């Protein structure tokens, strides 16, 4: 957000999203630190705003390929809400400047 606010030209912005796989193999978004301690796996993604592609991945714990694919899909969907928040925030900021 700081780069956007500074007016630096960028091809896209990105966001970070963390999810976890609990002991019952359920996938949960935005876990607390306490929840992460009991997780089978914790995965943190950075996703770009244009292609919705995975830029980086940091993981801790064990998970299957299928669980990784599910986590990617869930986090990409959640990223849409974050990018909408970015657009709304920038829109509000610049609408106030034009008043």
């Amino acid at each position: 957000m700081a780069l956007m606010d500074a007016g630096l030209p960028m091809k896209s912005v990105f966001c970070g999203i963390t999810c976890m796989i609990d002991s019952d193999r359920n996938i949960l978004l935005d876990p607390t630190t306490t929840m992460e301690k009991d997780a089978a796996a914790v995965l943190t993604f950075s996703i770009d705003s244009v292609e919705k592609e995975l830029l980086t991945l940091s993981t801790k714990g064990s998970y299957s390929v299928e669980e990784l694919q599910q986590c990617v899909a869930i986090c990409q969907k959640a990223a849409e809400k974050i990018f909408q928040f970015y657009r709304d925030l920038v829109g509000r900021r610049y609408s106030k400047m034009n008043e």
Side-chain angles (χ1 to χ4, degrees), residues 5 10 19 21 24 31 36 38 44-45 50 55 58 69 74 78 83-85 92 94-96 98:
D5 196 40
M10 298 182 290
C19 70
I21 301 171
D24 295 326
E36 287 182 12
D38 297 326
T44 302
F45 301 91
V50 176
L55 299 173
S58 174
Q69 291 171 338
I74 289 168
F83 295 134
Q84 185 59 54
F85 171 76
R92 282 194 304 266
Y94 287 105
S95 69
K96 287 181 183 178
N98 292 328

Side-chain angles (χ1 to χ4, degrees), residues 20 31-39:
M20 67 171 262
T32 64
T33 304
T34 304
M35 293 167 67
E36 287 182 12
K37 290 179 184 175
D38 297 326

